Amino acid sequence: MQVSVKPEISYLDKLLKECCKGVSPTVPPEFPLDGKMASWLQQVRDRAGTWVRELAFPTKQDEEWRFSDLSAMMKLNFQAPAPVNLDALNITPFILPEATDSRLVFVNGVFAPKLSLVEGLTDRVFVGNLGQLPPEYQDRIGDYLGQQQGSKEVFTSLNTAGLTDAAVVWLPKNQVVEKPIHLLFIATQTEIPILTQRRCLVVAERNSSATIIEHCVTAEVICPEAPTSRPYLTNTVTEIWVEENAEINHSRVQRDAGTAFHIGKTAIAQAKNSRYTCNAIHLGAKLSRHNLEVSQMGEGTETNLYGLAFIGNEQEADTHSAIILNHPNGVTEQLYKCIVDDKAHSIFNGKVYVSQTAQLTNAAQLNRNLLLSSGGRVDTKPQLEIIADNVQCSHGATVSQLDDDEVFYLQSRGLNEEVSRNLLIDAFAAEIINKLPLPSLQNILKQCVACKV
């Protein structure tokens, strides 16, 4: 008797096999892990691999994935990337002037020390990979890496099952970093579709603060709209711990190739009186999904989540966020905007949970969508679940087209219709782009938006 296996199960097994293939060579030989760290990391990988085998590849029958279509991904057999000549890569187009000497570079998930430069940072702040981690942090990393809520989700578990290295930013107590830290993650393209996994860990200890730019790009194609790009899969996980009275300003920019698939997780734990801001920009990839999860670990937290996606052709951009508030006096603001053109598909599912113990919470959530064509599609689902009775909470969503009266007004001032429409689109996107902390990055993304319109 032959037992048939569901295609989703066999496909997930193949992905797990590729994630775990050749894990040790991906650590640069000049920064090897010591025996204790390597042994601990192997246990973490084994545990995650066990989780993956107990999970299922998501389909539209799953509530959290019912608007997302992964069928195009399942038609491709992604393989682990071959070694890349890192010295031959030209990263000049991706360097940010404000962070020329505070840059950490990973290529296909592999640390590239010769492309990185962190001389602009104080010695007390650690920015590097796992192999460079000082002994005092090696003894504590088990309290942070892989310990966020949601670590057993299928793609997060896949990432952990193949984890060999990570970009690590560790801010000691009372350290205020003025210079932005640029984490540049580069994917390369080959004839064979490759699976690239990236991991990032940020630990901000008490009273510390920093600005972090997480930048996902592809090496050979600067513009995501370029027609010559080849498909690949990026599975990335970022864990951020913001301890008491610490502050992290985090910008996450996704500019993968237009044929790529991008699955991302950002998990944040906020302690008492901490402050966290996320500016998430999604411009590339054929299909992108960002799971943003915030857990409140103490009272008086401040959380600001801002996002922008501009998609066209048949792109699909999916943002799922969850803000779990379990302590009083928390303040959260979330604004996610999407511009949808051609036959693109935007998905937003935002959850805010306010428990009985989270009295005096102030939470606002808004999803605004600008539909530029009749073929575009928007699925939006803002959600509030409130158990507490002394709170101020609001949520909402809008889907609209360009206002004819506004276009007419600009035309009456001497502009033609095309320029008038483009100005309105630019203004819609600029509300989010202007929140980015680096002027150079703002200019780059404004040019990308102008190119897409």
Side-chain angles (χ1 to χ4, degrees), residues 85-105:
N85 182 6
L86 303 181
D87 298 337
L89 290 179
N90 178 20
I91 66 169
T92 303
F94 309 118
I95 294 178
L96 301 175
E98 300 91 337
T100 54
D101 56 355
S102 55
R103 179 183 68 250
L104 202 64
V105 181

Side-chain angles (χ1 to χ4, degrees), residues 225 310-315 339-346 370-378 421 452-453:
E225 302 295 311
F310 193 161
I311 52 177
N313 298 319
E314 295 184 352
Q315 284 180 282
I339 305 171
V340 183
D341 202 359
D342 303 319
K343 296 182 179 179
H345 181 196
S346 169
L370 183 59
L371 200 57
L372 301 181
S373 71
S374 59
R377 178 184 169 192
V378 174
R421 288 172 57 87
K452 291 175 80 71
V453 299

Side-chain angles (χ1 to χ4, degrees), residues 104-150:
L104 202 64
V105 181
F106 280 69
V107 180
N108 291 344
V110 180
F111 177 48
K114 294 183 179 180
L115 301 178
S116 304
L117 185 63
V118 293
E119 294 179 353
L121 299 171
T122 175
D123 292 339
R124 293 196 61 195
V125 174
F126 174 77
V127 178
N129 77 322
L130 288 179
Q132 296 173 303
L133 204 62
E136 63 267 26
Y137 293 154
Q138 289 188 20
D139 294 337
R140 299 171 56 196
I141 196 168
D143 297 331
Y144 297 101
L145 189 63
Q147 299 303 310
Q148 291 273 8
Q149 295 186 26

